[in-house]
Amino acid sequence: MLRQLPRAGKMGERRGLRVAVLGLVLGAAACYCLWRRAAGRGRRRGAPRVPPSVTEESPPSPHSVDADALQKLIHLLKATDDPLIQEQALITLSNSAAFSVNQDIIRNLDGLSVIGGMLLDCVPTVKEKALNALNNLSMNIKNQEEIQVYITQVCKNIESAPLNSDLQLAGLRLLTNMSVTNDYHYKMTDKIPCFLRLLSEGSERTQVQVLKVLVNLSANPATTRHFLKAQVPSLLLLFDNCINRDILLRALVFAANLKKNVNNEGGITIEDEYSEDSLFSILCRDSTAFAQKLASLLHHPDTDVKEQVVRILTQ
């Protein structure tokens, strides 16, 4: 019996931590729900949501989580190795980041480095929740300056994660935010073959998310040579009238960006650099099949799709 006492004490301590984090989670969740409910009243039914990274502002923060509660959550993350506690704390921090003021508070409390450290955790669900939290926190430019140090690890998590898993999708969502500007593209270019593989092999959800990253990267002329050398023989399959509209439209924007960059940068079109099954060959060298696909898409019912087709054909 005496030998069981230390274990009981440890279990009691863990229960205490779980009770503490549960109280913080419930309080923060209630505040978050109040804000979402209040924000929803001002939104027309059926109206599309505006991405918070663009124009939607968090309301004044009477319902937001205070700095003391956020500090306790961050301390809990540093103090415990219990995956359940870690996940709940990360979920609460992620929801709290809906408020712009909390994005700054979490950064000033060194929360970004604590959350970033979770990306090395061996538990996939903990890594996923950490990625979700960083994704919400990356809406802040100053936060991006700190989060960018984790891009290499995020790419590793995406590459090693099971195909189409929540962990993989969470990593792609974070890279989407981090690739909106050209500032950190150089940290992702080595993983372009990985992204193109996900485009070929992934589910529709994965394809949509990876295309968001590819569209952002391809808008930067500095990445064009990396793309054109890559091999993605199944790309032409995406340019079809029966393909999901969200996938088709983004694939067309991706191709249009690359074609534009090729036309603007004469040095890129040194054909000897590219293999027969490269993206350059598909889009530029032996483009008959691609041109036939585009001609068929001119009859697509969606106006945006047809506009992107015309954009490619007129470059």
Side-chain angles (χ1 to χ4, degrees), residues 6 57 98 155 159 217 219 244 260 269 274 280:
E57 292 292 333
C155 289
E159 192 167 23
L217 292 176
N244 178 308
K260 177 183 177 182
T269 58
Y274 307 106
F280 175 82

Side-chain angles (χ1 to χ4, degrees), residues 52 81 133 237 277 303:
D81 59 357
L237 298 177
D277 54 355
T303 302

Side-chain angles (χ1 to χ4, degrees), residues 239-241 248-249 251-253 255-256 259 290-300 302-315:
F239 302 106
D240 194 284
N241 282 291
L248 174 59
L249 181 58
L252 287 167
V253 175
K259 289 279 285 184
F290 184 46
Q292 290 173 346
K293 291 280 190 178
L294 294 176
S296 175
L297 289 173
L298 284 172
H299 303 288
H300 196 281
D302 187 90
T303 302
D304 292 334
V305 167
K306 287 186 285 192
E307 286 180 356
Q308 290 302 320
V309 171
V310 171
R311 180 186 168 206
I312 295 172
L313 290 173
T314 55
Q315 287 179 0

Side-chain angles (χ1 to χ4, degrees), residues 132-187:
N132 288 339
L134 290 175
N135 179 56
N136 287 351
L137 288 162
S138 68
M139 304 295 184
N140 182 308
I141 292 177
K142 288 185 178 179
N143 285 356
Q144 283 200 1
E145 293 173 0
E146 295 192 21
I147 293 172
Q148 58 91 13
V149 302
Y150 302 108
I151 288 177
T152 300
Q153 183 59 45
V154 173
C155 289
K156 289 180 181 178
N157 288 346
I158 291 170
E159 192 167 23
S160 63
L163 183 64
N164 304 322
S165 63
D166 289 338
L167 173 58
Q168 193 171 72
L169 289 166
L172 290 171
R173 282 193 293 270
L174 176 56
L175 290 190
T176 300
N177 280 350
M178 295 299 295
S179 62
V180 169
T181 68
N182 296 352
D183 295 345
Y184 310 117
H185 285 184
Y186 71 96
K187 290 177 173 280

Side-chain angles (χ1 to χ4, degrees), residues 50-57 139:
V50 179
S53 58
V54 181
T55 57
E56 184 173 321
E57 292 292 333
M139 304 295 184

Side-chain angles (χ1 to χ4, degrees), residues 1-10:
M1 293 296 294
L2 289 175
R3 291 180 180 178
Q4 300 299 319
L5 287 177
R7 182 182 298 177
K10 187 174 183 179

